[in-house]
Amino acid sequence: MAFEIVKLDKEVFSGSRVEIPAFNPQEGFAVMSEVKEAAIADFAKTAGDYVGINANIDGVQTYLVAKSGDGNGDTSFEVKEGQYAKFVTKEKERTAIDGFIGQSYGEIMNSDTVGVAGTFNLEDLREADFTIYIPVVVK
């Protein structure tokens, strides 16, 4: 699984958030994927060019569906400037996408050159292909 290291500038996103249930290996990604899919469908009714952010917000594991800038919903999140591992897939089905995200983290954890540097990831849903950015630090 290939990835490239890219630099992202600081950017604030705002939108609507939902709580993500803790991952249960016996259930797989299905429950989490359903929650994300519903959040995306709800937000997409009123907005285009949006992203998904998996983050711990106020002590709750959250999925934030948001647009760039302030005032697009009840929650804002700042993506810090820095180095990110960029992974891309043509996958469209949500459960497979969440599996891809898990594999992406595994790839970073097994990397000799970089490690995970944050507690969030950015799903860029503005792209034709599914793109995820995970903050990294050089080892």
Side-chain angles (χ1 to χ4, degrees):
M1 174 178 239
F3 65 92
E4 67 177 302
I5 303 299
V6 298
K7 179 184 178 279
L8 294 183
D9 293 328
K10 179 176 111 173
E11 189 169 6
V12 174
F13 294 93
S14 60
S16 300
R17 70 179 180 173
V18 294
E19 184 175 343
I20 299 175
F23 177 71
N24 179 338
Q26 295 172 343
E27 296 175 344
F29 292 109
V31 174
M32 178 176 50
S33 296
E34 288 173 12
V35 170
K36 288 180 172 184
E37 206 164 48
I40 290 168
D42 189 47
F43 193 80
K45 291 177 191 172
T46 60
D49 295 332
Y50 48 89
V51 300
I53 299 170
N54 292 286
N56 187 307
I57 300 175
D58 300 330
V60 176
Q61 195 57 40
T62 301
Y63 188 66
L64 173 64
V65 184
K67 289 182 69 161
S68 183
D70 286 321
N72 299 309
D74 59 13
T75 304
S76 293
F77 186 86
E78 181 180 284
V79 172
K80 305 282 187 208
E81 177 181 323
Q83 301 296 313
Y84 290 78
K86 176 183 177 182
F87 294 86
V88 180
T89 183
K90 294 191 179 302
E91 187 59 60
K92 301 289 184 204
E93 197 273 319
R94 187 71 231 190
T95 303
I97 287 172
D98 286 330
F100 175 78
I101 294 169
Q103 292 171 351
S104 299
Y105 273 96
E107 191 74 18
I108 294 170
M109 289 178 195
N110 289 321
S111 172
D112 293 332
T113 58
V114 295
V116 176
T119 58
F120 75 94
N121 63 55
L122 173 68
E123 299 175 6
D124 198 336
L125 306 171
R126 301 171 289 191
E127 304 287 331
D129 293 330
F130 179 83
T131 304
I132 183 166
Y133 296 94
I134 300 171
V136 293
V137 62
V138 175
K139 289 184 178 177

